[in-house]
C-alpha cells in the first residue's frame, strides 16, 4: 500500500527541517569548493557563484526559522539548490577543456551522493534534490563531443552517467530501508517498554491490594473481640494469599513461556470428571452474579483420554472466569464437541460463550498479547494482569491445539479451545489401606524464618515433633544425630541447597538415609521435578504452599508405596 499523502508531506518536511541544521556546513563546503575549483572555473565565476549559493543558504536558513514551507515550495527549494550547486563547475570545460570536464563530473557525483544520504526519509526530497544532477550528468556526453571526443568515448561517458544515476538511487533505497527498519525497531522497542512499564505498574497494584488486605486482616484479627470476627479476618488473609499465588503463577508461567521452558505432560485422565468438577466450581459463581450457566454437549465427550489435565483445567478456568467477569446479564455457556478421528484420537472442542458487551476489532487484535488488556478501564474495573489469555493460547499450542476467539460489539464473545487427545484406558486402581500416623517427627529446612514459621503453623497438631534448619548443611548435621519420619526441604538456600543436601543424605549411611523428603519449590516444571527425583526426593510441593496440598503430599510419601510417592 502506498504511503498516505500526509505521511509523504510529513517526511518531506522532516528533510527540509534537517537542512536548516546543516546550513553552516553547506556554507563551509561552498567556501572550500570555491578555493579548490576557482582556478579551474575562473575566479570571477567562482566568487559570483559563492555569493549566489551563500545567499541562497542564508535565505533558506532564516526562512525556515519562521515558517514551514508548503510542499511545492519545499520541492522548489531542493531543486534550486541542486541547480545552483551543480552549475558551479560547469564553467570548467569551457576554461580548462577535458580536465575541467573531469572536475565537473566529480562535483556532480558528490552532489548526487549527498542528495541520497541527506534525503533518506523522503522519496520526494530525493527526486527533487537529485534531478538537477541527473540532468547535468545527461549533458556530459554532449559536452565531451563538443570538446572533440570521439563517438565511442561519448557513449562510454553516457554509460558511466547512467550507472552513477542508477547506483545513487540504489544507495538511497538501501539507506531509506535501513532508516525505516531502524525507526520501526525503535517504535516496537518503545511500545514494548511502554507496555512492560504499564504491566509492572499493574502488577504492583495487583500485589498491593492483597498485601494491604493481609496487613489489615492481621491487625484486625489481633484485636478481634469475637471468634466470628477473627475467623472473618483470617478468611480475608487466606483469600488474599490465594490471590497473590494466582498472580505469581501467571508470572511464572509467562517467564517459562518466554524462555521456552514451559512443558506439558501426557497422562491418562477422566475428561468427563474434569468437566464435571469445573462446572461444579463455577456454577455457584454464576448464580451469585445472577447469570445462567448452561452446559451443552457433555454426552459427546469420551471418558478417558491422554493429555495434560492440569493445563486443560487452567485454560478452562481462565475462560470461564473472564466470561463471568465481563457478563453483566444473560448467560455463560460451556459447549463441548467431540468427534473421533481416523487415527484413533479424539478431536475435542471446548467453547465458552457469553452474552457480554463483546469486543471491537481493535480489541480483538490485541486480545492474546502479553502485558495488555482490552482497555485501561478493564484493569481498573476488573483487575488482573491481562496475562491469562496469552498464557492460555500458548498452553493450547504446546498441547498441539489452539485457542481462538470470535466477538462483535453487543453480541458477546466465544472462545474455542481445540485439542487432539488420544484415547486412553482408565488406570487400574490399587486400594491403599490408610494407617494412622502418630508420633511423627518432621524436620523443616528453609532459609527464611517466615517460611519455617508458616510450615510449623500448618503442621502443628498434626505431627508430634517439629524441628527446623536454615540450610542444607545444618539439616545434614541435624539428620546425622536424630531420627525423623519426614523432611520438608527447600531447594534454594545459602551454603548448601536442597538438591545437594539430599544427594549427600542418600549417599551417606545414617538414621535418615531412607527418610522421605518432600521438596518445597517455587517452580514445579518438568525439569525441576526430574532434578528433585534424581537427587532422591520423594515428592514436591509448590510454593506458596497450601495446607491441603502439603498434607496430600505427606500422605503420599508415608502411606503409599515408593513408586506412588515418587510422583505425588
Amino acid at each position: 500500500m502506498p504511503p498516505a499523502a500526509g505521511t509523504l508531506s510529513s517526511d518531506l518536511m522532516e528533510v527540509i527541517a534537517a537542512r536548516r541544521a546543516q546550513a553552516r556546513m553547506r556554507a563551509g563546503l561552498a567556501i572550500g569548493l570555491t578555493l579548490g575549483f576557482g582556478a579551474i572555473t575562473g575566479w570571477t565565476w567562482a566568487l559570483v557563484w559563492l555569493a549566489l549559493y551563500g545567499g541562497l543558504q542564508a535565505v533558506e536558513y532564516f526562512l525556515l526559522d519562521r515558517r514551514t514551507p508548503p510542499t511545492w515550495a519545499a520541492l522548489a527549494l531542493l531543486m534550486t539548490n541542486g541547480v545552483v550547486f551543480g552549475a558551479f563547475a560547469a564553467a570548467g570545460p569551457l576554461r580548462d577543456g577535458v580536465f575541467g570536464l573531469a572536475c565537473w563530473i566529480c562535483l556532480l557525483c558528490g552532489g548526487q551522493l549527498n542528495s541520497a544520504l541527506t534525503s533518506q526519509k523522503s522519496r520526494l526530497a530525493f527526486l527533487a534534490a537529485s534531478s538537477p544532477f541527473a540532468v547535468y550528468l545527461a549533458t556530459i556526453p554532449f559536452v565531451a563531443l563538443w570538446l572533440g571526443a570521439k563517438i565511442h568515448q561519448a557513449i562510454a561517458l553516457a554509460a558511466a552517467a547512467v550507472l552513477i544515476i542508477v547506483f545513487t538511487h540504489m544507495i538511497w533505497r538501501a539507506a531509506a530501508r535501513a532508516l525505516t527498519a531502524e525507526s520501526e525497531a525503535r517504535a516496537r522497542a518503545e511500545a514494548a517498554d511502554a507496555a512492560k512499564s504499564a504491566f509492572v505498574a499493574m502488577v504492583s497494584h495487583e500485589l498491593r491490594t492483597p498485601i494491604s488486605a493481609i496487613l489489615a486482616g492481621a491487625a484486625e484479627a489481633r484485636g478481634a473481640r469475637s471468634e466470628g470476627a477473627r475467623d472473618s479476618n483470617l478468611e480475608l488473609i487466606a483469600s488474599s494469599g490465594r490471590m497473590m499465588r494466582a498472580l505469581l503463577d501467571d508470572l511464572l508461567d509467562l517467564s517459562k513461556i518466554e524462555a521456552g521452558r514451559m512443558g506439558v505432560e501426557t497422562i491418562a485422565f477422566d475428561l468427563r470428571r474434569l468437566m464435571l468438577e469445573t462446572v461444579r466450581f463455577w456454577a455457584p459463581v454464576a448464580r451469585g452474579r445472577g447469570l445462567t450457566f448452561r452446559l451443552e454437549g457433555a454426552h459427546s465427550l469420551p471418558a478417558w483420554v491422554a493429555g495434560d489435565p492440569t493445563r486443560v483445567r487452567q485454560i478452562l478456568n481462565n475462560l470461564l472466569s473472564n466470561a463471568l467477569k465481563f457478563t453483566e446479564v444473560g448467560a455463560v455457556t460451556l459447549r463441548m464437541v467431540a468427534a473421533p478421528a481416523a487415527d484413533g484420537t479424539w478431536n475435542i472442542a471446548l467453547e465458552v460463550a457469553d452474552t457480554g458487551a463483546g469486543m471491537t476489532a481493535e480489541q480483538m487484535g490485541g486480545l492474546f498479547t502479553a502485558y495488555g488488556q482490552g482497555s485501561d478501564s478493564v484493569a481498573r474495573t476488573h483487575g488482573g494482569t491481562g496475562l491469562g489469555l496469552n498464557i492460555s493460547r500458548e498452553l493450547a499450542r504446546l498441547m498441539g491445539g489452539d485457542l481462538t476467539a470470535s466477538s462483535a460489539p453487543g453480541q458477546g464473545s466465544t472462545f474455542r479451545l481445540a485439542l487432539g487427545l488420544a484415547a486412553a484406558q482408565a488406570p487400574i486402581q490399587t486400594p491403599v489401606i490408610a494407617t494412622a500416623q502418630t508420633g511423627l517427627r518432621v524436620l523443616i529446612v528453609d532459609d527464611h524464618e517466615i517460611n519455617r514459621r508458616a510450615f510449623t503453623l500448618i503442621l502443628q497438631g498434626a505431627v508430634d515433633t517439629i524441628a527446623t534448619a536454615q540450610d542444607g548443611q545444618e539439616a545434614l548435621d541435624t539428620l546425622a544425630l536424630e531420627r525423623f519420619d519426614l523432611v520438608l526441604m527447600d531447594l534454594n538456600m545459602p551454603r548448601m541447597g536442597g538438591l545437594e543436601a539430599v544427594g549427600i543424605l542418600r549417599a551417606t549411611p545414617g538414621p535418615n538415609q531412607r527418610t522421605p523428603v518432600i521438596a518445597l519449590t517455587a517452580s514445579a516444571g518438568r525439569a525441576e521435578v526430574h532434578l528433585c527425583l534424581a537427587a532422591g526426593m520423594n515428592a514436591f510441593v509448590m510454593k506458596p504452599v497450601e495446607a491441603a496440598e502439603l498434607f496430600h503430599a505427606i500422605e503420599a510419601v508415608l502411606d503409599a508405596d515408593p513408586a506412588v510417592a515418587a510422583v505425588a
Side-chain angles (χ1 to χ4, degrees), residues 381-444:
T381 305
H382 300 285
T385 61
L387 296 176
L389 289 176
N390 173 261
I391 292 172
S392 295
R393 170 173 275 188
E394 294 298 328
L395 291 175
R397 290 177 174 176
L398 282 173
M399 291 187 289
D402 202 0
L403 177 62
T404 56
S406 59
S407 182
Q411 299 182 19
S413 304
T414 299
F415 289 83
R416 187 175 191 270
L417 171 63
L419 296 171
L421 301 176
Q425 297 294 325
I428 299 175
Q429 298 292 334
T430 303
V432 178
I433 301 175
T435 59
Q437 302 292 342
T438 59
L440 289 179
R441 297 172 55 83
V442 177
L443 175 64
I444 301 172

Side-chain angles (χ1 to χ4, degrees), residues 203 206-207 210-211 240-256 314 385 387 391 522-523 542-545:
V203 169
E206 290 298 309
L207 281 174
I211 289 174
S240 301
R242 286 190 290 270
M243 184 186 302
M244 291 179 67
R245 177 174 181 172
L247 174 61
L248 292 175
D249 285 344
D250 280 350
L251 294 175
L252 180 61
D253 284 346
L254 179 65
S255 66
K256 286 184 176 181
Q314 180 179 347
T385 61
L387 296 176
I391 292 172
S523 175
M542 189 172 178
K543 292 181 178 179
V545 174

Side-chain angles (χ1 to χ4, degrees), residues 40 89 157 290 487:
I40 303 297
L157 286 174
V487 178

Side-chain angles (χ1 to χ4, degrees), residues 33-59:
L33 289 174
T34 301
L35 296 175
F37 286 85
I40 303 297
T41 63
W43 291 107
T44 301
W45 168 239
L47 293 176
V48 170
W49 175 85
L50 178 61
L52 180 62
Y53 188 74
L56 181 61
Q57 305 314 306
V59 171

